[in-house]
Amino acid sequence: MQTIIETVQPYVNTIVTAAAGVLTAFVLGGLKLKTKVNVWLEARTTAAQREVILKVTGEAFALAQTAFKEAGGERKLQEALQYASLTLSSQGIVVSQVELRSAIEKAYLEYKAKIKAVLATEEQPNEEAAQAAAKEAVSSLAAQVTAILSQATGTDTTTSTPEPEKVSNTVAQATISNE
């Protein structure tokens, strides 16, 4: 049983390490895009307008994410663009569709980063639970194999010490049947 766990452990470690690497790559990519969006917005708007745009596009993303759960990503984006455009124009802020889209994409990336962070913190207990479940499964399998072997050989596994005569008879019977 311990050998199986020792054999599986390197594979589990490799998978966890690979998942952490992929997660890191996504986070770093998202941070670079977030920085570019911020620089682009700063160049085209005032600080107050930028703050309003980011709040409204965050609201637009949240609305699309909750109100249109069943819709595809493109439909959600269109709904978020429509909401943000109407809200900003009612406040007198004129923003191009490209600017709105980039701000909504930024809100989306921030949302994904938060979700991944939550999943990463929850992954640790799940890994421990998986290891416990694997140990339990191996123990159960070992018990079943022992039961099958005891049925096949006709020995009783509940007896703590077998009688010497029965052991020698079993060995003699096994030798005769093998010939």
Side-chain angles (χ1 to χ4, degrees):
M1 179 170 88
Q2 187 66 23
T3 306
I4 294 172
I5 294 171
E6 291 172 355
T7 304
V8 173
Q9 187 64 33
Y11 297 114
V12 171
N13 289 342
T14 303
I15 290 169
V16 169
T17 304
V22 170
L23 176 65
T24 303
F26 278 117
V27 168
L28 291 176
L31 291 176
K32 286 181 182 179
L33 183 61
K34 180 181 174 183
T35 305
K36 288 180 181 181
V37 168
N38 281 338
V39 168
W40 188 77
L41 281 173
E42 287 175 6
R44 289 169 176 72
T45 60
T46 67
Q49 285 179 332
R50 227 180 9 263
E51 201 166 307
V52 170
I53 291 170
L54 291 177
K55 284 183 181 180
V56 168
T57 53
E59 290 172 4
F61 169 73
L63 173 71
Q65 195 69 5
T66 56
F68 302 98
K69 288 180 185 178
E70 304 301 320
E74 190 61 35
R75 168 100 191 279
K76 288 180 182 179
L77 177 62
Q78 292 305 319
E79 294 295 334
L81 285 170
Q82 182 181 0
Y83 171 84
S85 179
L86 290 173
T87 303
L88 290 172
S89 64
S90 71
Q91 295 180 9
I93 300 174
V94 178
V95 182
S96 72
Q97 290 294 313
V98 174
E99 289 175 302
L100 286 178
R101 182 181 178 126
S102 64
I104 291 170
E105 292 287 344
K106 177 184 175 197
Y108 173 74
L109 290 174
E110 289 173 351
Y111 170 76
K112 283 294 190 185
K114 287 178 185 177
I115 293 296
K116 287 178 183 177
V118 168
L119 290 177
T121 57
E122 291 177 354
E123 184 175 306
Q124 202 66 345
N126 289 341
E127 182 179 325
E128 292 170 3
Q131 286 179 352
K135 287 178 183 179
E136 186 177 323
V138 169
S139 297
S140 173
L141 181 62
Q144 290 176 354
V145 168
T146 304
I148 292 170
L149 288 175
S150 67
Q151 286 178 349
T153 59
T155 58
D156 185 13
T157 57
T158 58
T159 312
S160 60
T161 55
E163 297 176 9
E165 296 172 21
K166 287 185 179 179
V167 171
S168 60
N169 287 341
T170 306
V171 172
Q173 288 175 353
T175 306
I176 293 171
S177 64
N178 284 339
E179 293 177 353

